[in-house]
Amino acid sequence: MIIPPRYVGIDVSKHHLDIFDEAIGVSERIVNATQAITQLVARWRCDALVVFEATGVYDLELREALRQAGVRFARINPARARDFARASGQLAKTDPIDARMLAAFARAMKPATEQVATPARSALARLAKRRDQLVLMRVQEKNRRSEADDRAMAERISRFVEVLDGEIEEIETDIRALIKAEPEISDDAQLMRSLPGIGPVACMQLIAQMPELGRVGPKQVAALAGLAPFNVDSGAYRGKRKIGGGRKRVRDALYMAALNAVRRAAPFKTFYTRLRQAGKPAKLALIAVARKLLTVINAMMRDRKSYRLEPAI
């Protein structure tokens, strides 16, 4: 007997979860807490597809419970959910309505399920996020110091910058220790770092935020990173291809890696130069290099082979 798939929509907020399970057909609400979530998830099996909007830390307990129970789930961009609701004629917005709409989205769109990160990769992602926050704070403080018209205030800011330097150094030490201590992550890092342009920051972001590497095709991995160009055409009009969406921090890291790659590696420099000679703007050419880097990394992770000095690209 074939069991039909079960579609569940969950609206996540800080204090509670609103659930609509199509198999039950009634909305319900539980507190956003470990015990209640564990009891909720226990009723579902691997045939269920649970969809909810990405809400940062508020869906962390839910993700972990689903992961441990082996239940498939997809975190979707809230804008995508609202577009689906408007297209369906659903203009009202309440938490129970949103949960019902997400279940309908799951049934109609069948979004790709999330590749679950291991606990070590999740820890690395948290460290990477905190490092980014501290680096941004340091940039802001240095800008304030350059604008300070009072020497005493500039010295105060300098002392705080030194504190931030120390915190960043500590986190980077923890990141290196975590990568070294986890064999799987260490192996991935070693493979990635063999590719010209991929430094410690890009490597860290790819390991933390792209668990799909080596498990999906080149087009899908480019879309996940927001490096896949999409068409803007209508009738006879042909607009410029654009990139967008995806995981912005990964995209930013790969863009910086592309800058390094075109300086350090002849194949990528040749690829970049060819695009520039064809009339492509510098930024667009660098984005193409970033996409090429990601495609190469994806193949390296799939085949478990380090980068060769002169591959055909």
Side-chain angles (χ1 to χ4, degrees), residues 235-248:
Y237 173 76
R238 294 294 179 269
K240 292 182 179 179
R241 275 44 178 168
K242 300 179 180 179
I243 62 169
R247 298 166 195 176
K248 184 178 183 301

Side-chain angles (χ1 to χ4, degrees), residues 179-232:
I179 291 174
K180 186 177 180 180
E182 295 290 331
E184 181 187 349
I185 294 178
S186 180
D187 289 346
D188 285 354
Q190 188 173 0
L191 287 174
M192 289 182 191
R193 292 296 302 275
S194 71
L195 182 62
I198 301 298
V201 174
C203 177
M204 168 186 66
Q205 296 294 345
L206 286 165
I207 292 173
Q209 299 198 41
M210 293 290 289
E212 299 89 353
L213 282 171
R215 298 180 175 90
V216 297
K219 291 183 179 180
Q220 188 176 351
V221 78
L224 288 170
L227 285 170
F230 57 87
N231 298 348
V232 186

Side-chain angles (χ1 to χ4, degrees), residues 1-154:
M1 178 180 178
I2 299 175
I3 301 175
R6 184 174 187 169
Y7 299 101
V8 181
I10 300 181
D11 184 78
V12 180
S13 66
K14 182 177 182 180
H15 299 295
H16 57 260
L17 306 179
D18 285 273
I19 303 102
F20 185 80
D21 184 342
E22 286 191 345
I24 299 174
V26 177
S27 298
E28 57 184 312
R29 172 174 288 187
I30 65 170
V31 295
N32 192 353
T34 303
Q35 183 175 356
I37 292 173
T38 302
Q39 292 173 353
L40 171 73
V41 171
R43 73 172 71 156
W44 298 321
R45 299 182 301 276
C46 59
D47 60 305
L49 173 59
V50 180
V51 172
F52 50 95
E53 296 175 353
T55 55
V57 297
Y58 297 151
D59 60 33
L60 185 61
E61 294 282 358
L62 176 60
R63 278 184 280 155
E64 181 60 21
L66 291 167
R67 184 187 69 80
Q68 291 186 4
V71 176
R72 297 180 302 137
F73 68 92
R75 298 170 75 229
I76 65 171
N77 188 315
R80 191 180 176 195
R82 288 313 306 159
D83 288 344
F84 178 83
R86 283 191 290 267
S88 304
Q90 181 61 63
L91 302 181
K93 191 179 188 310
T94 66
D95 294 344
I97 288 175
D98 285 350
R100 183 184 291 265
M101 179 272 297
L102 287 166
F105 179 96
R107 174 175 289 279
M109 305 304 292
K110 297 179 177 58
T113 55
E114 183 157 316
Q115 183 70 41
V116 179
T118 63
R121 288 178 188 266
S122 297
L124 181 60
R126 289 191 292 271
L127 288 170
K129 182 177 181 179
R130 183 55 181 162
R131 180 191 176 278
D132 284 348
Q133 292 169 345
L134 292 170
V135 168
L136 177 59
M137 289 170 64
R138 182 171 63 183
V139 170
Q140 292 170 337
E141 289 303 305
K142 285 183 176 180
N143 289 337
R144 294 183 183 110
R145 182 176 60 188
S146 67
E147 296 169 359
D149 57 3
D150 178 79
R151 183 174 179 179
M153 184 58 67

